[in-house]
Amino acid sequence: MTTENLIETVTEKIQGLMADPKHFLVEVRIKPTNNIKVFIDGDEGIPLSDLVSYNRKLYKALEESALFPEGDFSLEVSSPGIDEPLKLHRQYGKNVGRYVELTLNDDPATKIEGKLLAATEDGIVLETESGKGKKKEVKQETILFSDIKTTKVQVKF
């Protein structure tokens, strides 16, 4: 079975196990060593206890399905960390009000930092600042998803 087929099968299994409509699958990755990583998020975050439950249920389902007949796989179920880029529209919605760093699709890749004000069907509204003191300028930009290569949430103190 190809890696793409395995990812598809694991995706179907985990989506079948996810009962809470506030939770959503972000991504499934499978390394050549059969290390399976499943990233699940929630509109209001996701408790560790739910991730543990999903891990146990998925592990059992994978064992019973004999996808890995020798049992030679490892499974990690987690929420995407702060270092993981946003991948789904729902992730943008839950991060409104936070600071983000965008890498655009242009060449060379432009980086923009700002506060995520809104996520629309087609893109995002970002508040950016330039200059300091009296010359400080705050403006809002609408950036289309098609122009965004990656978006990472920034931690500001």
Side-chain angles (χ1 to χ4, degrees), residues 86 92-100 102 113-120 123-129 138-143 151:
L86 303 182
Y92 283 89
K94 77 172 258 187
N95 283 293
V96 166
R98 298 180 87 180
Y99 286 88
V100 294
L102 305 178
E113 282 192 37
K115 186 176 184 179
L116 182 60
L117 296 180
T120 65
I124 61 170
V125 179
L126 196 68
E127 180 181 86
T128 58
E129 296 179 4
V138 177
K139 62 181 180 176
Q140 291 184 11
E141 298 181 57
T142 299
I143 302 167
T151 303

Side-chain angles (χ1 to χ4, degrees), residues 6 8 23 51 67-68 90 95 98 129 136 141:
L6 280 173
E8 203 173 293
H23 297 166
L51 292 170
L67 276 177
F68 304 94
R90 276 176 92 170
N95 283 293
R98 298 180 87 180
E129 296 179 4
K136 182 176 175 180
E141 298 181 57

Side-chain angles (χ1 to χ4, degrees), residues 77-139:
V77 177
S78 70
S79 61
I82 197 80
D83 56 334
E84 288 289 323
L86 303 182
K87 296 194 180 310
L88 304 176
H89 187 272
R90 276 176 92 170
Q91 290 179 288
Y92 283 89
K94 77 172 258 187
N95 283 293
V96 166
R98 298 180 87 180
Y99 286 88
V100 294
E101 179 186 76
L102 305 178
T103 303
L104 302 180
N105 283 325
D106 55 357
D107 189 28
T110 305
K111 291 193 180 220
I112 302 173
E113 282 192 37
K115 186 176 184 179
L116 182 60
L117 296 180
T120 65
E121 286 294 315
D122 302 324
I124 61 170
V125 179
L126 196 68
E127 180 181 86
T128 58
E129 296 179 4
S130 59
K132 292 188 181 203
K134 291 182 179 180
K135 294 184 179 184
K136 182 176 175 180
E137 184 182 341
V138 177
K139 62 181 180 176

Side-chain angles (χ1 to χ4, degrees), residues 7-91:
I7 289 173
E8 203 173 293
T9 302
V10 171
T11 298
E12 289 170 7
K13 288 190 179 304
I14 191 65
Q15 286 178 330
L17 297 171
M18 291 173 41
D20 190 332
K22 293 179 185 169
H23 297 166
F24 55 93
L25 180 65
V26 176
E27 184 179 26
V28 174
R29 295 183 197 153
I30 302 178
K31 293 185 178 178
T33 57
N34 293 337
N35 175 296
I36 304 165
K37 288 188 177 193
V38 178
F39 295 102
I40 300 173
D41 208 343
D43 294 324
E44 298 162 6
I46 185 165
L48 185 58
S49 59
D50 289 350
L51 292 170
V52 170
S53 175
Y54 290 141
N55 186 307
R56 289 180 179 150
K57 289 176 184 176
L58 181 59
Y59 194 91
K60 184 178 180 191
L62 290 173
E63 279 189 322
E64 289 172 355
S65 70
L67 276 177
F68 304 94
E70 304 296 317
D72 62 338
F73 72 94
S74 63
L75 176 64
E76 297 175 39
V77 177
S78 70
S79 61
I82 197 80
D83 56 334
E84 288 289 323
L86 303 182
K87 296 194 180 310
L88 304 176
H89 187 272
R90 276 176 92 170
Q91 290 179 288

